[in-house]
C-alpha cells in the first residue's frame, strides 16, 4: 500500500457498462455517470457495450456516443455474456483506472466516488461491498454460492467482499486483457491479478425499471464456468468418488470371494456382477464426460483468437 494517499484528480477513469435489454433505463444511467464525474472534475470516459440486446438499447447508447465526446458505444455481434462484454469494454478503455457497473442503476453512479477514494489509498482493486443487496432470494443465494467458490478457487481473502461494482488499476486491467481464456470471469481474474485488493461499503438501490436478466440458468452457467475453466475441483471430486466406489467394490468382491470359498451357496453371482458393472460403468461414463468438458474448454482456450466480435463502434 502506498505511504501517501494518491490524488484522484491526477488520474483518468473509464467506466465500462455492459448493456442488455435496458432501453428504458440505460439513458438515465449514462446521464448519472456523466453528471457525477463532471461535478467531481475528474477526467472520464464511458464505454457502453451492447451485449446482443433484443430491444432498442443500441439505438439509445449509439445516439449518446455520437453526441458526447466522453462516450464510446460498442455493439457486439451477439449475446456473449456480461463478462465477455466487460472484457470488450476494458480493451476499449483508456483510463488509468477502470470502473465496471451495471446498466440498471442498482449500482448508484454517485457511489463510484467511494471506490475511487478507496483506490487512492494504494489498492489495485476495490470492490463495492453492498450495505444491503436489493435482489431476489435466488440471486442472493447464487451470490453466496459463487462467493464460496471464489474463496476456494481464487483464494479470495477472508472478510473481502466482491461484486461486479469495482474499480481496477490499469496494470490489473492489462493483465486481465492479456489473459488467454475462452471463458473470462472478471471477478476471479481481478483476484488472481491483484496484489492488494480491498472493498468499501456502498449503496445498492432497487432496479427502477424491469427485472434482472440474471436468472437461475445464468447463475448456474457462471458456476460451471468457474469450476471447469479455473479449477480442477470437479475432476478431483470425481476421482475421490471413484476411489471410494473402487474401494467399496473391492471390499464387496472380497466378501463374495470369502463366502464362495468357505460357505456353500446356491445363489448365482450374475446379479452382483450386473450391479457392479452398472455402477462402475456409470461412474466411468461420468468421469469421461467430465474429462471431455476439460478437453473442450482447453481446446477453445488454445484455439480462440478472440471470445467476442464487435460489429459496430460509435464515438463522437
Amino acid at each position: 500500500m502506498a505511504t501517501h494517499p494518491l490524488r484522484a484528480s491526477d488520474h483518468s477513469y473509464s467506466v465500462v457498462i455492459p448493456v442488455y435489454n435496458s432501453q428504458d433505463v440505460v439513458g438515465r444511467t449514462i446521464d448519472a455517470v456523466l453528471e457525477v464525474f463532471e461535478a467531481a472534475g475528474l477526467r472520464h470516459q464511458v464505454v457502453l457495450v451492447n451485449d446482443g440486446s433484443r430491444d432498442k438499447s443500441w439505438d439509445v447508447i449509439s445516439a449518446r456516443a455520437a453526441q458526447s465526446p466522453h462516450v464510446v458505444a460498442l455493439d457486439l455481434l451477439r449475446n456473449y455474456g456480461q463478462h465477455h462484454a466487460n472484457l470488450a469494454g476494458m480493451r476499449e478503455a483508456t483510463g488509468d483506472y477502470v470502473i465496471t457497473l451495471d446498466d440498471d442503476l442498482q449500482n448508484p453512479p454517485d457511489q463510484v466516488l467511494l471506490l475511487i477514494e478507496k483506490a487512492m489509498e494504494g489498492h489495485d482493486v476495490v470492490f463495492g461491498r453492498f450495505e444491503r443487496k436489493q435482489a431476489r432470494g435466488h440471486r442472493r443465494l447464487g451470490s453466496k454460492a459463487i462467493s464460496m467458490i471464489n474463496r476456494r478457487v481464487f483464494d479470495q481473502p477472508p472478510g473481502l467482499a466482491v461484486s461486479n461494482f469495482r474499480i481496477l488499476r490499469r496494470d490489473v486491467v492489462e493483465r486481465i486483457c492479456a489473459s488467454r481464456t475462452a471463458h473470462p470471469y472478471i471477478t476471479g481474474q481481478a483476484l488472481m491479478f491483484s496484489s492488494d485488493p480491498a472493498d468499501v461499503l456502498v449503496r445498492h438501490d432497487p432496479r427502477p425499471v424491469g427485472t434482472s436478466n440474471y436468472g437461475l440458468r445464468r447463475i448456474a452457467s457462471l458456476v460451471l464456468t468457474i469450476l471447469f475453466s479455473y479449477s480442477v475441483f470437479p475432476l478431483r471430486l470425481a476421482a475421490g468418488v471413484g476411489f471410494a466406489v473402487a474401494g467399496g467394490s473391492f471390499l464387496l468382491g472380497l466378501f463374495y470371494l470369502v463366502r464362495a470359498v468357505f460357505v456353500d451357496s446356491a445363489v448365482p453371482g450374475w446379479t452382483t456382477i450386473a450391479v457392479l458393472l452398472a455402477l462402475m460403468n456409470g461412474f466411468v461414463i461420468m468421469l469421461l464426460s467430465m474429462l471431455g468438458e476439460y478437453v473442450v474448454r482447453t481446446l477453445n482456450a488454445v484455439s480462440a483468437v478472440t471470445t467476442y466480435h464487435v460489429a459496430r463502434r460509435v464515438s463522437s
Side-chain angles (χ1 to χ4, degrees):
M1 185 178 296
T3 304
H4 301 289
L6 305 172
R7 291 200 310 171
S9 58
D10 291 340
H11 304 281
S12 59
Y13 304 89
S14 293
V15 181
V16 174
I17 307 176
V19 178
Y20 182 70
N21 292 345
S22 300
Q23 63 178 16
D24 297 326
V25 70
V26 67
R28 292 160 58 184
T29 303
I30 298 169
D31 291 339
V33 170
L34 293 175
E35 181 180 349
V36 166
F37 277 92
E38 288 168 3
L42 300 175
R43 290 175 289 155
H44 59 283
Q45 172 198 41
V46 180
V47 181
L48 302 154
V49 185
N50 182 44
D51 188 26
S53 297
R54 295 187 297 269
D55 61 4
K56 296 183 179 180
S57 294
W58 171 248
D59 296 336
V60 175
I61 66 175
S62 60
R64 295 301 179 92
Q67 296 168 0
S68 173
H70 298 288
V71 179
V72 177
L74 302 179
D75 185 27
L76 299 188
L77 190 63
R78 61 177 180 81
N79 177 242
Y80 294 95
Q82 183 183 37
H83 293 280
H84 293 267
N86 269 320
L87 182 60
M90 287 181 174
R91 287 175 173 160
E92 178 69 29
T94 59
D96 300 324
Y97 287 86
V98 175
I99 300 159
T100 65
L101 56 83
D102 294 338
D103 59 357
D104 55 9
L105 287 177
Q106 287 198 281
N107 303 144
D110 63 294
Q111 302 293 284
V112 165
L113 299 179
L114 297 177
L115 296 179
I116 294 174
E117 181 182 359
K118 189 70 175 180
M120 292 304 103
E121 296 178 5
H123 302 288
D124 52 2
V125 173
V126 178
F127 297 95
R129 176 194 288 268
F130 299 125
E131 295 174 351
R132 185 185 180 201
K133 192 165 186 178
Q134 303 290 335
R136 294 182 178 180
H138 72 275
R139 284 290 306 276
R140 291 196 294 269
L141 187 61
S143 296
K144 290 181 179 179
I146 292 172
S147 179
M148 290 174 59
I149 296 172
N150 284 338
R151 296 187 191 283
R152 182 180 184 90
V153 176
F154 301 105
D155 294 325
Q156 179 181 330
L160 177 71
V162 300
S163 68
N164 291 331
F165 189 33
R166 61 212 157 201
I167 183 170
L168 306 96
R169 201 170 60 198
R170 169 53 56 182
D171 58 321
V172 177
V173 172
E174 289 177 352
R175 294 183 195 115
I176 293 174
C177 292
S179 177
R180 191 176 179 85
T181 175
H183 304 279
Y185 174 50
I186 305 302
T187 302
Q189 290 171 294
L191 290 170
M192 287 171 60
F193 299 135
S194 66
S195 60
D196 188 17
D199 61 36
V200 65
L201 202 61
V202 296
R203 197 172 74 251
H204 193 252
D205 289 346
R207 185 183 176 106
V209 178
T211 57
S212 172
N213 295 310
Y214 239 78
L216 286 174
R217 185 178 65 84
R218 286 178 177 265
I219 293 173
S221 176
L222 178 59
V223 169
L224 292 176
T225 293
I226 298 171
L227 287 177
F228 283 102
S229 298
Y230 296 92
S231 171
V232 294
F233 175 72
L235 191 59
R236 288 177 177 172
L237 177 63
V241 173
F243 280 119
V245 171
S249 300
F250 174 77
L251 292 176
L252 186 61
L254 185 63
F255 167 77
Y256 280 111
L257 177 62
V258 171
R259 181 177 179 181
V261 172
F262 295 103
V263 180
D264 291 333
S265 176
V267 179
W270 65 269
T271 303
T272 302
I273 294 174
V275 170
L276 288 175
L277 283 175
L279 183 64
M280 294 302 296
N281 286 340
F283 177 75
V284 168
I285 291 172
M286 181 184 71
L287 184 59
L288 288 175
S289 299
M290 196 168 298
L291 286 171
E293 184 72 19
Y294 277 107
V295 170
V296 169
R297 288 176 180 265
T298 302
L299 181 62
N300 288 338
V302 171
S303 61
V305 177
T306 181
T307 61
Y308 59 86
H309 296 278
V310 178
R312 290 173 286 184
R313 179 186 185 277
V314 176
S315 70
S316 62

